[in-house]
Amino acid sequence: MVSLWENWRRGAGMGRRGPKFDTFGGPSAYAVELTKRHSSVSLTEQGADSGSMRVNLSWRMRSSDFDGVGRPRGSLRHPLQALKPQVVQAHTQGVVNVDLDLACMYELTDGGKGVVQPLGNFLGDWNGPPYVKLTGDDRFGSPSGETIYVNLDHKDSIKRLLFFVYIYDGTPAFDRTHAVLTLFPSNGPRVEVNLDQRAPQARSCAVLLMQHEKGQLTVRREVRYVYGFQAELDRLYGWGLQWGRGYKAGKS
């Protein structure tokens, strides 16, 4: 019989040295978090530069009961408050309504440029250019979040991809949300970027840049907030697209 201690050690990855990877060739349960200090990773070195890559945005609303340093107010008088989570899953009347959208600017090696986003119903294409496909629009921060798929079997046709998040509707309140962008490659560890900086008035955030560097496909953490929308991100990264006002389905 395997002891509870042995089960815990195996689950925590202590039964072997180094991070635990799946052995069947699929995506690993191990995650690489990109930070300011360690901001990039080579997908080629990870063996993760082919097949289907899922890019997911998920977010939760922060509780208004906590101050800027993340500690519960009045914790000395109410010590049990420290046991409560610092974020809540659902939108309530007491929480700012924030609608985060995941999008991607693309530039192809043949010179083609564009955007994949909910606004204007630019959902992209999986089998043809730009080999980037948006699957839907989540307006409520559900656990499944929003997802973009990238067909890395055509990586040689892709020059660069900029994954960004913007607040289309409601109050600009990145500081009231806890958002995570996660890459799930077909092989190797997933890659996570946390949008954890305080930018209360920002409308958009460039999160992750995927591009070819020295013969390898790499991803680099950006997390650059701007106070405008796509056009401002375009100028920041020199995309050179023409922008107009767009609307979501059912909104005007």
Side-chain angles (χ1 to χ4, degrees):
M1 179 179 295
V2 179
S3 67
L4 292 176
W5 169 248
E6 184 64 19
N7 275 332
W8 182 85
R9 289 177 72 249
R10 291 178 180 178
M14 297 174 59
R16 66 179 73 179
R17 292 185 178 181
K20 182 179 179 181
F21 290 90
D22 294 337
T23 58
F24 58 85
S28 170
Y30 176 66
V32 173
E33 181 181 1
L34 299 184
T35 63
K36 286 184 178 180
R37 185 172 181 179
H38 303 285
S39 60
S40 65
V41 65
S42 169
L43 298 179
T44 302
E45 289 182 355
Q46 301 286 341
D49 61 349
S50 63
S52 173
M53 170 173 284
R54 179 163 59 97
V55 183
N56 178 259
L57 171 70
S58 60
W59 76 91
R60 294 172 292 177
M61 297 302 298
R62 296 179 186 272
S63 170
S64 59
D65 296 331
F66 296 88
D67 59 22
V69 297
R71 290 187 302 175
R73 292 183 178 136
S75 59
L76 294 179
R77 296 179 58 188
H78 304 285
L80 292 180
Q81 291 289 328
L83 301 178
K84 293 185 178 181
Q86 296 190 21
V87 291
V88 292
Q89 186 71 32
H91 292 264
T92 67
Q93 293 297 322
V95 177
V96 173
N97 181 31
V98 180
D99 179 16
L100 299 185
D101 284 324
L102 174 63
C104 175
M105 289 187 205
Y106 62 85
E107 182 177 1
L108 305 180
T109 55
D110 65 2
K113 298 178 182 180
V115 65
V116 173
Q117 63 179 21
L119 281 178
N121 204 35
F122 295 111
L123 303 182
D125 196 313
W126 167 257
N127 293 310
Y131 308 106
V132 178
K133 179 68 175 178
L134 176 68
T135 60
D137 176 22
D138 169 31
R139 300 184 183 181
F140 303 101
S142 69
S144 60
E146 296 190 358
T147 300
I148 287 176
Y149 286 91
V150 181
N151 187 347
L152 290 182
D153 287 337
H154 294 271
K155 63 179 179 293
D156 292 337
S157 298
I158 299 172
K159 182 176 181 180
R160 58 176 178 159
L161 302 176
L162 178 66
F163 297 98
F164 64 97
V165 176
Y166 61 92
I167 300 175
Y168 167 74
D169 199 13
T171 305
F174 274 109
D175 62 324
R176 299 291 297 276
T177 64
H178 177 77
V180 180
L181 185 73
T182 307
L183 272 61
F184 297 89
S186 60
N187 187 60
R190 68 184 187 271
V191 179
E192 294 182 350
V193 179
N194 285 281
L195 280 68
D196 51 6
Q197 298 179 22
R198 301 285 176 163
Q201 299 301 317
R203 281 283 185 180
S204 307
C205 178
V207 183
L208 190 76
L209 183 65
M210 179 187 297
Q211 61 186 353
H212 294 276
E213 294 180 328
K214 298 180 181 179
Q216 297 192 4
L217 187 64
T218 64
V219 289
R220 186 179 72 219
R221 177 188 183 272
E222 297 293 317
V223 190
R224 300 175 70 177
Y225 293 91
V226 299
Y227 296 98
F229 290 98
Q230 293 89 329
E232 189 168 346
L233 290 174
D234 185 312
R235 288 191 294 270
L236 189 63
Y237 287 89
W239 232 267
L241 299 176
Q242 297 295 321
W243 297 94
R245 187 170 184 179
Y247 301 96
K248 286 189 181 183
K251 289 193 175 185
S252 59

